[in-house]
Amino acid sequence: MKHILIFFTGLGCLSAAHGQSLRSINSGAVSANNLIYTVGEIFVVPSNQNEASSGLVGAISRIEFLSLGIADITPIPQLRFYPNPTAASVFVEVDKETINQFYIYDVSGKLIDSLKNTNNQIDLSGLQPGTYFIKTDNQHLESFKIIKR
């Protein structure tokens, strides 16, 4: 019994040394240009087409590339404001949009004042010196920062 066990152990080492274990994992398939492999399958590209147990060993893996980013950028109407910093008033110019109301916020986000648009001019003379954010009632326009001297 001991001799039989040694024989099978020796036979297993011999077949592993000659690459037979690779063929059993690969189900005996030899790579050719017209074979289709599945993800996770191990294959052998033989250096000699007559010997499936020699050559390059590879594995099929799946790589998926996703495009991460933002949606297409839609043009934002151009908003210009000047002077900045200012001591009294700010003039606002906007392309193809209308503004009915201005909202003035301090740096903590507290609403300080709400002003109707008169000739695209914002009077800040009644405010203390500091940094303010001005938002409009038009959802297409972004808020902007003004420094009051």
Side-chain angles (χ1 to χ4, degrees), residues 19-38 41-60:
Q20 298 300 320
S21 61
L22 290 177
R23 283 195 6 213
S24 65
I25 291 172
N26 192 32
S27 304
V30 176
S31 177
N33 292 336
N34 58 355
L35 291 178
I36 298 172
Y37 296 102
T38 59
E41 185 175 356
I42 297 174
F43 66 95
V44 176
V45 179
S47 55
N48 181 350
Q49 290 294 334
N50 296 327
E51 295 181 24
S53 62
S54 67
L56 178 67
V57 177
I60 304 295

Side-chain angles (χ1 to χ4, degrees), residues 65-86:
F65 293 99
L66 299 175
S67 175
L68 301 177
I70 59 173
D72 291 338
I73 298 173
T74 56
I76 298 173
Q78 194 69 338
L79 176 71
R80 292 172 300 286
F81 50 93
Y82 56 91
N84 191 14
T86 185

